[in-house]
Amino acid sequence: MSDQTKPWLESRLPLAASFRAHVSERQLAHNRPYLAALGTLIVGTLIFLALSGFVLSLYYVAVEGDAYNSIQVIMRGVNDGWLIRGFHATGTTMLFGLVYLSIFRALITGAYRVPGELVWMLKLIFLLMILLIGYLGYALEDGAVSYWSLHQVTLAGAQLSSFPGNISNWFFGGPAGQGTLARLAVMHGLLAFMAFGVLALHYYAKQAIAVAPKRTVSLHPYYTSHHFVAAAVFVLLFAVLVFYAPHLGENPLNAVAANPLVVPTVVTPPWYLLPVSAFSTMFPGAKGGIIGVIAAFAVLFAVPWLDRSPKDASPGLFYKFLVVVLGLDVFALGCTTADGPSLINSILTTVFIGWYFLHFLVLTPLATARESK
Amino acid sequence: MANAAVHAVDDEVEAPAKRDFLKILTVSAGAVALGATAWPFINALNPTAAELAVSNPIIDVGAIAPNTAMRIVWLGQPIYIRKLTPQQIADNEYIVPDTLPDPASYTDRVKPGYESFVVVVGLNTGISCELLGNSPTDPRGPFDGWSCPCDGSVYDPLGRVRGGPARKNLAIPRFTFLSDTQIQFG
């Protein structure tokens, strides 16, 4: 670039100034826990998922019946297709792992408190989006389990047809039929790109409320090398899963082609959807399922206002203990759901769901109010 | 807690060579890992083995009668495989290439050892109409080759243009003789 084009470009498109402000001359707090790399890893994993999803979309056929066969072609015929699909499946597992961890960290550190409510809500919106994207990806597999799951979901959606308008039909194209998978494939990719937008909003919201640190270091090399170590550990775990357990936490019954005449014995989603699946069985009926999921997310969104602690008070030990118990509770909820229906599982599921709402609606206000005295 | 920046400066004074070595090692390992990860993504964009097999068909040409041509479709284009008669070979063998609109000798148009077979893309090089003349009863034009029903261009049995708006000889696809009776495209 000549001496004249540089200022010409910079005055019209200040990329260099933006790069200096956000990267090369950026000053950050000198203490940096490894969990600070979570955001970087989430963005990286989402990019990785977008790239592998792009390659898969070139070979995937979004037609009922043919979809399953096209996945078999990807696994056997496409050069390194098995690896790309392994990347995509494991990438999903890792993304959910990171996001659940990030939400757990925000809960236990009280990051959702004033002025962090919007950052917290954007986190939850991102979780909601990737849950939906994850569900769509699971439905796109067109296996024996996801086929039936999709039919259940579209039938549940059909119950909402009178309110407010035919949302379910717009999204699914009516009860699951020939055109449904094509819609879901487009939605899957479109929502994934919108998720990048939510991440950007989260980044800016977090910047806006960030407290200026007293002692600072530059982004490079202190944060880059630090995140490099976190990324190396992350990639190692990623690689182990890709090569040894690419379909970790998926229902093995879903590896068989869908059969419209045979319902599989256990209809359970991949591990990252299990808690949502549990909440959807909280009340009977299709409408009850929708209400259950909305209720589970409503209490999460309400956490900043359920927390009664005064401003600038860090969470007490008892509250932190409760959050750890909540994490175990949600994990156990997933386990009982994955196991399939039985008397003991339905009792345990009820107990765990009860504890979940007890934690947010009763224990959180009480514990935070008591500890702040 | 000491300032991190002070630490860094101390380290650099202590062992700059060691630090440089570790930096180069780390960056190289990262670059290799990135390349190894990128490879399957790019390789997956290559055509699959099934697609490649379709694009390299093996055709049996033993059954083609002299003075007729076989028509196959390869990569979406009509391919004519023609068996010449001794008379057609004699007529075309000694024509001086420079007297033709698009100079090409007899040996330029056939494979050595298989001089009685002519393999061409059956599309007129002027306007892309499919040519007539595979069967002796088709209109073949004055040179006993092919003629175009759209613009009237005429070709000789070797696929060289002899008249009409077209100025170029018929294209010759990529192929090899596997035996006297089999050719493979691609």
Side-chain angles (χ1 to χ4, degrees):
Chain A
M1 228 187 279
S2 77
D3 288 347
Q4 282 163 342
T5 53
K6 224 171 186 173
W8 182 89
L9 189 64
E10 189 59 22
S11 60
R12 285 156 183 79
L13 189 66
L15 286 179
S18 177
F19 183 78
R20 275 197 299 277
H22 289 275
V23 183
S24 67
E25 288 170 14
R26 186 152 167 218
Q27 294 293 311
L28 295 156
H30 80 285
N31 59 331
R32 40 190 195 286
Y34 277 107
L35 281 183
L38 270 181
T40 311
L41 295 179
I42 287 174
V43 175
T45 310
L46 198 60
I47 292 173
F48 196 73
L49 282 171
L51 288 175
S52 52
F54 162 71
V55 174
L56 292 178
S57 73
L58 299 179
Y59 296 99
Y60 179 75
V61 179
V63 176
E64 244 178 83
D66 293 347
Y68 179 84
N69 295 336
S70 73
I71 292 172
Q72 302 315 305
V73 170
I74 289 171
M75 294 300 279
R76 290 149 200 266
V78 175
N79 300 318
D80 296 328
W82 61 274
L83 185 55
I84 301 292
R85 184 163 177 239
F87 280 159
H88 204 67
T90 309
T92 313
T93 285
M94 297 304 270
L95 181 67
F96 274 100
L98 290 169
V99 172
Y100 281 136
L101 194 58
S102 160
I103 284 176
F104 178 75
R105 184 186 56 163
L107 269 181
I108 204 164
T109 58
Y112 54 80
R113 294 176 184 175
V114 181
E117 315 100 299
L118 193 62
V119 174
W120 166 251
M121 285 160 83
L122 285 167
K123 266 192 221 301
L124 293 178
I125 289 170
F126 184 73
L127 175 65
L128 271 173
M129 286 185 83
I130 61 170
L131 282 171
L132 185 52
I133 298 164
Y135 179 74
L136 294 178
Y138 161 65
L140 287 178
E141 282 188 68
D142 200 29
V145 180
S146 57
Y147 172 88
W148 281 99
S149 168
L150 182 61
H151 274 254
Q152 287 169 2
V153 167
T154 51
L155 288 177
Q159 302 267 314
L160 289 179
S161 57
S162 58
F163 165 85
N166 236 332
I167 289 185
S168 174
N169 280 0
W170 300 335
F171 195 86
F172 293 111
Q178 277 301 314
T180 303
L181 286 183
R183 283 185 192 224
L184 298 196
V186 174
M187 297 284 185
H188 182 74
L190 186 68
L191 284 169
F193 278 97
M194 286 163 71
F196 279 105
V198 175
L199 282 185
L201 289 179
H202 179 270
Y203 175 80
Y204 282 112
K206 211 171 169 180
Q207 291 284 99
I209 61 160
V211 184
K214 289 197 184 81
R215 280 205 302 245
T216 61
V217 289
S218 57
L219 177 82
H220 181 75
Y222 297 103
Y223 270 74
T224 45
S225 56
H226 182 262
H227 283 197
F228 193 92
V229 175
V233 173
F234 176 76
V235 166
L236 187 67
L237 185 58
F238 199 121
V240 167
L241 288 181
V242 165
F243 292 111
Y244 293 99
H247 298 289
L248 184 79
E250 289 178 25
N251 188 338
L253 296 174
N254 203 32
V256 183
N259 185 341
L261 300 177
V262 178
V263 187
T265 49
V266 182
V267 181
T268 54
W271 72 268
Y272 42 83
L273 293 169
L274 285 173
V276 181
S277 178
F279 287 117
S280 74
T281 58
M282 194 162 73
F283 302 114
K287 272 182 188 157
I290 294 162
I291 291 168
V293 174
I294 290 174
F297 272 93
V299 290
L300 276 174
F301 274 96
V303 165
W305 294 276
L306 292 171
D307 187 314
R308 306 309 304 164
S309 55
K311 212 183 163 200
D312 299 331
S314 61
L317 201 61
F318 181 62
Y319 177 71
K320 286 187 175 179
F321 173 73
L322 283 179
V323 173
V324 172
V325 171
L326 177 77
L328 293 173
D329 177 68
V330 174
F331 179 77
L333 188 55
C335 292
T336 55
T337 312
D339 207 26
S342 71
L343 181 63
I344 182 75
N345 280 341
S346 72
I347 294 169
L348 285 174
T349 303
T350 311
V351 170
F352 294 142
I353 288 179
W355 181 266
Y356 178 87
F357 286 101
L358 187 74
H359 170 92
F360 286 112
L361 297 175
V362 179
L363 297 177
T364 296
L366 285 182
T368 48
R370 193 165 155 271
E371 279 174 347
S372 61
K373 274 177 193 164
Chain B
M1 188 196 261
N3 193 319
V6 175
H7 265 297
V9 171
D10 286 350
D11 289 351
E12 262 173 327
V13 172
E14 272 171 27
K18 183 182 168 191
R19 181 154 283 228
D20 281 351
F21 173 74
L22 285 175
K23 189 177 167 185
I24 291 167
L25 193 69
T26 312
V27 171
S28 328
V32 169
L34 203 64
T37 314
W39 169 245
F41 283 84
I42 295 162
N43 192 29
L45 300 180
N46 284 323
T48 64
E51 285 167 340
L52 287 176
V54 170
S55 65
N56 292 299
I58 296 173
I59 304 295
D60 193 347
V61 296
I64 301 173
N67 204 25
T68 64
M70 178 187 188
R71 177 188 183 276
I72 64 157
V73 176
W74 180 54
L75 303 183
Q77 292 202 313
I79 306 289
Y80 294 169
I81 307 165
R82 182 166 181 158
K83 180 128 192 209
L84 303 180
T85 60
Q87 180 62 42
Q88 285 165 340
I89 295 174
D91 284 350
N92 291 285
E93 203 168 4
Y94 299 112
I95 291 174
V96 179
D98 288 347
T99 61
L100 299 169
D102 185 6
S105 70
Y106 181 73
T107 51
D108 289 341
R109 304 291 301 172
V110 294
K111 295 269 183 194
Y114 306 96
E115 279 88 354
S116 61
F117 285 104
V118 170
V119 182
V120 291
V121 177
L123 291 175
N124 182 20
T125 55
I127 84 175
S128 281
C129 272
E130 199 175 340
L131 297 170
L132 301 177
N134 285 345
S135 155
T137 55
D138 288 346
R140 284 180 159 180
F143 298 92
D144 199 23
W146 288 280
S147 73
C148 178
C150 303
D151 70 358
S153 300
V154 286
Y155 297 84
D156 68 15
L158 295 171
R160 297 179 296 194
V161 67
R162 288 299 189 91
R167 312 257 306 264
K168 295 235 175 222
N169 297 336
L170 296 183
I172 297 177
R174 283 194 313 279
F175 72 97
T176 45
F177 275 92
L178 299 178
S179 69
D180 285 351
T181 57
Q182 281 190 321
I183 62 174
Q184 182 168 28
F185 287 92

